[in-house]
Amino acid sequence: MTQLQTRPSGEDPEAIDASGASRTWIDRFFDLTGRGTTVAREVRGGITTFVAVAYIILLIPIILSGAKDVTGAAMTVPQLTTAVALSAAITTILMGVVGNAPFALASGLGIAPVVAFQAAPHMTWNQAMGLVVLEGVVIVLFALTGIRQLIMDAIPTPLKHAIGVGIGMFIALIGLVDAGFVGRGEGTVVTLGAGGRLAGWPIVVFCVGLLLMFALFVRRIPGAILIGIVAATALAIVINALVDGVKWPGVVTPELPEKIVSTPDFSLLFDVDLFGGFGAAGVLTATVVLFTLVLSGFFDAMGTILGVGEEARLTDDQGRIRGVGKILTIDGFGAIIGGATGGSANTIVVESAAGVGEGARTGLASLVTGALFAGAMFLTPLAAVVPAQAAAPALVLVGALMMTAARKIEWDDIDLAIPAFLTIALMPFTYSITNGVGAGVIAYTVIKAARGRFDQIHWLLWVISAIFVGYFGIGAIEQLLG
């Protein structure tokens, strides 16, 4: 996820001196003068954010279309591309108009795997999207009632960091498996490629795309992830055209589309079953999945708001983000809109830092980004030619960047190190974000209790731990209840 150097604080070379000058309605509505910015700078920032985050429109459909629900049904890339672009457009524009903040919203990379690999295997897609909508409702209620502060206080900070790191490892593993770089071994659980070696043109596409993406990113090239995906896709198209018999694992064959512009596919819109997941998967399993969605979306958004908001100079004298209540509420509505459109939960994306680095300070930049998302709905044929091997490098890079939060964990404190380790390790090792979160929370609670440090265990952790104990013991509970 893009991290760009911003202009140093202090005197701004483009700051506006509005003394005696009449202010346009755009200036007044977004308070451009008050925040020391201009229309041109906001437009530039909005475009930059879109370039940095546009890969989401390609990547989320790859993740979700590669999974099947409990009935064996799968969503298509055109359906998902429309859903992801539409929901991102609506929520980002909403952030601009209501929140007046330079934050873009799009389907969260940490949330989509929960929907694909935790919810879908136990229920239908519309039931899974129903849980996503409920996630948004819960987050909105948290923002409106102040429960968010209670949860923030309950979950230990090291576990928050560990959750992000674990999700990063999980995302990276998904990318490596989708690309064919990691496969099932003979006599081992996993191995390099197929049978312990790398072979085939699709692997070449993945490796070239990954190395190119690394090179562009470390040189701080705006849109490095998107450029890498486009370049790898172009290479795949050339190889597919020149080499006979190439087999491309996944649902996409890299071929030039007959047309570039097409009518958006709105077939997933409002195809939602709010409470059906509880009947299909069971109340306990569905509740734990919902809890994981809320936890991932809530804390991802909080971290991004605090980090990018400070860079955008939205903090007050006490370091608090101005208008954070509105921003968090809109983030919750982003999940509701994402589930209602069928594109998974939207959340504030850290790539917003790219636009902030270009000078974005207000919601006008979000309006620009949202308009570009809306235009992307008509380019679904382009998304349908991106093979998994071209998109997978982005998952690996994003996973690597999420891993950097590991430095914030106090590894020399064994009370924290063990829960953090279990949280991080079990996510990729069990292919489950829920398992990692549950193991970490239970381990933290038990270790602190064993040490007699009950004052360090928030009462809510006992409740959460009990839920996860039930989740892990669901088989025994079902057997006991017949």
Side-chain angles (χ1 to χ4, degrees):
M1 296 187 178
T2 310
Q3 297 177 351
L4 298 180
Q5 291 180 336
T6 57
R7 293 179 177 83
S9 58
E11 184 176 351
D12 192 330
E14 295 185 34
I16 302 170
D17 182 5
S19 56
S22 61
R23 300 174 64 186
T24 65
W25 70 269
I26 293 180
D27 188 350
R28 292 193 301 271
F29 186 87
F30 293 105
D31 191 24
L32 301 180
T33 299
R35 298 192 186 183
T37 185
T38 65
V39 171
R41 180 186 292 172
E42 294 300 300
V43 171
R44 187 171 71 239
I47 294 173
T48 301
T49 293
F50 176 78
V51 171
V53 79
Y55 72 95
I56 292 290
I57 303 174
L58 305 177
L59 202 54
I60 295 297
I62 293 291
I63 295 174
L64 294 179
S65 65
K68 296 181 179 180
D69 68 11
V70 70
T71 67
M75 296 183 288
T76 67
V77 170
Q79 286 177 317
L80 289 165
T81 302
T82 297
V84 170
L86 173 63
S87 61
I90 294 173
T91 50
T92 302
I93 290 173
L94 189 63
M95 178 63 75
V97 174
V98 178
N100 194 20
F103 297 138
L105 291 91
S107 296
L109 276 176
I111 301 173
V114 179
V115 178
F117 303 109
Q118 297 301 118
H122 302 287
M123 61 192 72
T124 62
W125 283 114
N126 64 340
Q127 292 169 345
M129 292 304 166
L131 289 184
V132 172
V133 172
L134 292 177
E135 173 216 337
V137 172
V138 172
I139 291 178
V140 169
L141 292 176
F142 284 172
L144 295 177
T145 62
I147 295 177
R148 62 185 175 85
Q149 189 62 51
L150 184 63
I151 296 179
M152 287 286 290
D153 294 339
I155 303 294
T157 300
L159 281 189
K160 296 174 191 174
H161 297 318
I163 290 170
V165 174
I167 291 174
M169 289 188 66
F170 183 38
I171 289 174
L173 180 60
I174 292 173
L176 293 171
V177 171
D178 286 350
F181 197 89
V182 171
R184 188 183 301 275
E186 297 179 5
T188 60
V189 178
V190 293
T191 188
L192 179 68
R197 63 189 183 93
L198 300 177
W201 286 105
I203 290 295
V204 173
V205 170
F206 169 74
C207 293
V208 170
L210 183 64
L211 295 175
L212 174 62
M213 205 173 288
F214 286 167
L216 294 174
F217 188 84
V218 298
R219 291 186 62 84
R220 301 184 181 276
I221 303 298
I225 293 177
L226 181 62
I227 294 171
I229 292 176
V230 172
T233 300
L235 176 60
I237 292 173
V238 172
I239 290 174
N240 190 67
L242 298 180
V243 181
D244 293 331
V246 179
K247 296 182 179 180
W248 299 90
V251 297
V252 173
T253 299
E255 297 175 332
L256 287 175
E258 296 180 358
K259 54 184 179 179
I260 296 178
V261 178
S262 69
T263 303
D265 184 344
F266 295 106
S267 57
L268 296 178
L269 190 62
F270 302 131
D271 184 14
V272 176
D273 183 349
L274 273 182
F275 302 104
F278 292 91
V283 174
L284 185 59
T285 299
T287 300
V288 171
V289 172
L290 177 59
F291 173 76
T292 304
L293 287 170
V294 171
L295 197 66
S296 299
F298 187 82
F299 288 117
D300 279 358
M302 281 300 299
T304 302
I305 291 168
L306 293 173
V308 180
E310 186 174 0
E311 291 187 17
R313 304 174 191 170
L314 300 181
T315 54
D316 59 19
D317 295 336
Q318 284 76 41
R320 296 171 299 190
I321 302 295
R322 293 188 295 270
V324 70
K326 283 184 179 179
I327 293 170
L328 281 172
T329 302
I330 295 167
D331 181 73
F333 277 109
I336 294 174
I337 294 169
T341 58
S344 185
N346 288 328
T347 188
I348 297 171
V349 292
V350 76
E351 285 82 4
S352 303
V356 171
E358 287 295 325
R361 297 290 181 268
T362 74
L364 180 57
S366 295
L367 283 186
V368 174
T369 304
L372 293 173
F373 273 130
M377 286 192 298
F378 298 91
L379 302 176
T380 54
L382 292 179
V385 305
V386 181
Q389 293 73 25
L395 290 174
V396 177
L397 176 56
V398 170
L401 296 176
M402 294 179 74
M403 278 286 296
T404 59
R407 71 182 185 276
K408 301 177 182 178
I409 301 172
E410 300 172 24
W411 292 106
D412 56 347
D413 185 344
I414 197 65
D415 289 11
L416 302 176
I418 293 176
F421 168 76
L422 289 174
T423 300
I424 294 169
L426 287 183
M427 287 187 190
F429 288 169
T430 66
Y431 229 63
S432 167
I433 294 172
T434 304
N435 292 347
V437 174
V441 170
I442 293 173
Y444 178 87
T445 304
V446 170
I447 288 173
K448 289 297 184 182
R451 302 263 284 183
R453 298 175 177 175
F454 293 97
D455 60 321
Q456 297 181 17
I457 306 174
H458 194 285
W459 67 266
L460 194 55
L461 283 184
W462 292 106
V463 177
I464 298 172
S465 296
I467 292 174
F468 277 120
V469 167
Y471 167 76
F472 287 120
I474 187 65
I477 294 173
E478 289 176 344
Q479 202 171 39
L480 182 64
L481 298 177

